[in-house]
Amino acid sequence: MNKNLSLEAWRLFWVLVAGIIAGLMTSRLWPTIVLALLAYCIWQMNQLFRLDRWIQQGLKRSQTPNAGGLLENIISNIYRLKTSRKRGKKQLALLLGQYRASAEALPDATVILTSTGEIQWFNEAAEILLRLQTPRDLGQRIDNLLRDPKFRKFLRATKRQQELRLTSPLDNEVILSCRLINYGQDKLLLTVRDVSIREQLNRVRREFVSNASHELRTPLTVIRGYLEMMSADNGGEDELRDKIHILLEQTAQMENIINEMLTLSRLESSTLEASEGEALSVAQILRQLVSDAVRSGKAESDQITVTVDDSLCLIGIRAEIMSLCNNLLYNALQHNPAQTPIELQWFRSGSDAPCLAVNDDGEGIEQQHLSRLTERFYRVDSSRSRESGGTGLGLAIVKHIVQRHGGHIDISSTPTVGSSFTCCFATSRAVECVGDEV
Ligand code: ADP
């Protein structure tokens, strides 16, 4: 028992002793004891009132009730709680200060919003990039300041889009990359980065590749023309005919590379709206590809199995989806031994996304190559791929097409067992076929 509590116990004891002595002296023992206890209770009540008044007046040290005993104990506990709360508050303020300072120092514009888009706080970078001003814009809706329908849609979307690129509504020379993160119970964190320079460099690279490819195409067509003429003129000389044949093959390979580079830069330089395209029967496209491959002798008649959902159609760009299917099927044929079993699947995944899978029981690919297969010109075995007429751009094209259609590609493979290339598109692109799609 601490000092104050034992003092209180002694106090009660002496009240009782005084009551008993007075009771014995007046020959009214019980009424006197009751009277003494009543007096003690009234005194304690008075102490509690003083304590209550002191608390209400803000726990001022100068007005601390001076009582000793139980009350003293309560007061010292209150002081201890107060000091530890003060210390906690101080630490919290320090942490908040540090957090704000680091958010201020961020090079990206950072804005804290309510769930309905009202601005609660922003850093210095936001003042520069988004031209926000304190206190003028605090409490304003961000989409009233950044007036762009794409941004409004991005803000209101229930499913968070990873990133939104848009031309700044405040300066059309500036390209912004916006990210929105839900946090806390009903808060949004908006970060905006100026990506104009990166976009500009990308544009310059795309334009260079596209222009260079165009420029190479014309002389190559002339070279091929002359080679074809020489091949037709040269009736007898075997050695020369063989050389012309090799030159023609190499020219065709260069033309393929140039055409695929042009396809890639076309895919990169435009974007697809979420619902752009026509309803395509991927099942029919796959069947057509298989029959073409068999007819041209690239596949055996029973080599490819087609497992498709005929009622599932895809909203997409026909030429792109055909190129995607074509690339995956010809890869499975080209990069595996003859007669390797191949399966083409078209189905709805567990999350309802429309998916195309090309599986083969071929040689498979070592794990360390898988993440790099969709890079331009990346080949597992360069000489073999070139020999088989590969450009090294097929999977890069496939990746861009599937991304333009709101999806992603997954590659899995086990050496000696086989490979699986699965492209899943945006769920919103799946539609029921009505019967007249081709
Ligand atoms: P390529 O024009 O060489 O086919 P791609 O970009 O289409 O270029 O493919 C890149 C590389 O991935 C190929 O060179 C090949 O090594 C490997 N690859 C692609 N598909 C398969 C497959 N089905 N089985 C084994 N290897 C494959």
Side-chain angles (χ1 to χ4, degrees):
M1 215 186 326
N2 78 20
K3 205 177 86 196
N4 287 320
L5 287 181
S6 65
L7 178 70
E8 195 63 50
W10 276 112
R11 194 178 273 159
L12 186 58
F13 172 76
W14 287 119
V15 167
L16 273 171
V17 170
I20 292 168
I21 293 172
L24 288 173
M25 279 167 62
T26 55
S27 323
R28 292 176 176 216
L29 182 64
W30 287 112
T32 322
I33 290 176
V34 172
L35 254 173
L37 286 176
L38 201 67
Y40 175 76
C41 287
I42 290 171
W43 180 77
Q44 282 292 13
M45 285 271 287
N46 181 44
Q47 298 285 66
L48 284 177
F49 280 128
R50 282 172 61 208
L51 178 70
D52 181 50
R53 204 169 334 119
W54 175 68
I55 292 172
Q56 278 184 19
Q57 283 169 354
L59 310 176
K60 285 186 190 136
R61 244 178 215 283
S62 56
Q63 290 167 14
T64 311
N66 190 4
L70 190 57
L71 199 65
E72 189 82 36
N73 218 30
I74 295 174
I75 290 170
S76 70
N77 282 336
I78 288 176
Y79 269 131
R80 194 149 12 97
L81 274 175
K82 192 181 163 191
T83 343
S84 77
R85 228 182 59 182
K86 232 180 179 174
R87 211 177 305 128
K89 249 183 170 173
K90 232 181 184 174
Q91 268 176 353
L92 201 69
L94 195 80
L95 266 173
L96 252 164
Q98 282 172 350
Y99 168 74
R100 286 209 164 178
S102 55
E104 281 292 356
L106 283 176
D108 296 345
T110 309
V111 187
I112 293 179
L113 304 167
T114 62
S115 56
T116 47
E118 277 122 29
I119 301 172
Q120 289 204 318
W121 180 85
F122 49 84
N123 66 355
E124 246 178 66
E127 289 177 15
I128 299 164
L129 194 60
L130 308 177
R131 299 194 197 147
L132 297 181
Q133 272 182 30
T134 323
R136 189 195 66 186
D137 296 327
L138 290 175
Q140 295 262 24
R141 287 185 58 101
I142 185 83
D143 48 347
N144 285 342
L145 303 170
L146 289 177
R147 287 177 176 275
D148 185 302
K150 273 200 275 179
F151 182 74
R152 188 156 291 171
K153 211 168 145 198
F154 174 67
L155 187 69
R156 291 191 183 155
T158 39
K159 200 171 164 220
R160 287 274 161 251
Q161 197 181 321
Q162 269 203 337
E163 186 202 8
L164 171 75
R165 291 241 164 148
L166 77 161
T167 308
S168 168
L170 309 165
D171 178 351
N172 56 16
E173 302 266 297
V174 175
I175 310 287
L176 301 176
S177 154
C178 311
R179 282 169 197 275
L180 203 54
I181 302 153
N182 291 62
Y183 79 99
Q185 276 198 331
D186 55 355
K187 293 266 186 291
L188 294 171
L189 182 73
L190 172 71
T191 58
V192 185
R193 178 176 292 186
D194 180 352
V195 289
S196 319
I197 294 177
R198 203 192 310 163
E199 282 286 306
Q200 208 178 341
L201 285 174
N202 262 337
R203 208 190 56 232
V204 170
R205 178 183 58 79
R206 278 198 306 267
E207 281 174 5
F208 172 76
V209 172
S210 166
N211 291 340
S213 308
H214 270 297
E215 292 303 320
L216 284 171
R217 203 144 73 160
T218 319
L220 212 60
T221 314
V222 176
I223 293 171
R224 184 163 48 81
Y226 275 108
L227 285 172
E228 278 167 355
M229 264 167 52
M230 284 165 75
S231 161
D233 286 350
N234 174 48
E237 291 174 45
D238 280 353
E239 202 183 323
L240 189 61
R241 202 174 43 229
D242 286 350
K243 282 178 182 159
I244 292 173
H245 183 68
I246 291 169
L247 283 175
L248 270 171
E249 269 182 2
Q250 292 301 311
T251 315
Q253 171 77 345
M254 274 174 79
E255 277 178 333
N256 280 343
I257 295 176
I258 288 170
N259 288 339
E260 297 217 324
M261 273 165 52
L262 281 170
T263 306
L264 250 181
S265 65
R266 246 195 321 268
L267 290 172
E268 275 187 322
S269 54
S270 64
T271 50
L272 272 192
E273 290 300 321
S275 57
E276 201 175 328
E278 56 180 311
L280 304 171
S281 167
V282 177
Q284 298 234 39
I285 292 176
L286 293 177
R287 284 198 197 99
Q288 185 60 47
L289 276 178
V290 173
S291 89
D292 290 349
V294 173
R295 205 166 342 109
S296 64
K298 288 182 174 138
E300 297 293 321
S301 58
D302 56 350
Q303 187 184 350
I304 307 169
T305 321
V306 182
T307 315
V308 289
D309 177 350
D310 274 297
S311 65
L312 177 61
C313 275
L314 178 78
I315 303 285
I317 306 295
R318 173 176 297 281
E320 293 183 19
I321 298 302
M322 284 182 73
S323 154
L324 178 147
C325 299
N326 201 42
N327 266 309
L328 292 178
L329 175 61
Y330 280 92
N331 269 352
L333 289 168
Q334 253 173 19
H335 300 296
N336 290 305
Q339 295 182 13
T340 296
I342 296 169
E343 187 187 21
L344 305 182
Q345 294 177 312
W346 172 238
F347 58 99
R348 267 187 199 269
S349 72
S351 58
D352 243 15
C355 296
L356 166 78
V358 178
N359 311 318
D360 64 65
D361 297 348
E363 295 184 336
I365 307 161
E366 301 271 356
Q367 202 64 26
Q368 75 263 25
H369 299 292
L370 296 186
S371 62
R372 302 199 57 193
L373 286 184
T374 55
E375 286 175 18
R376 286 144 215 254
F377 299 112
Y378 189 86
R379 292 146 163 143
V380 175
D381 183 338
S382 304
S383 53
R384 247 177 73 180
S385 166
R386 269 190 213 103
E387 261 171 41
S388 60
T391 60
L393 293 169
L395 288 176
I397 291 177
V398 168
K399 185 177 103 176
H400 271 88
I401 294 175
V402 73
Q403 281 179 346
R404 276 162 61 81
H405 288 77
H408 57 91
I409 176 168
D410 281 324
I411 306 174
S412 61
S413 186
T414 312
T416 71
V417 175
S419 310
S420 179
F421 294 77
T422 308
C423 298
C424 288
F425 303 90
T427 311
S428 58
R429 287 191 170 270
V431 284
E432 282 287 306
C433 298
V434 287
D436 54 1
E437 300 86 358
V438 279

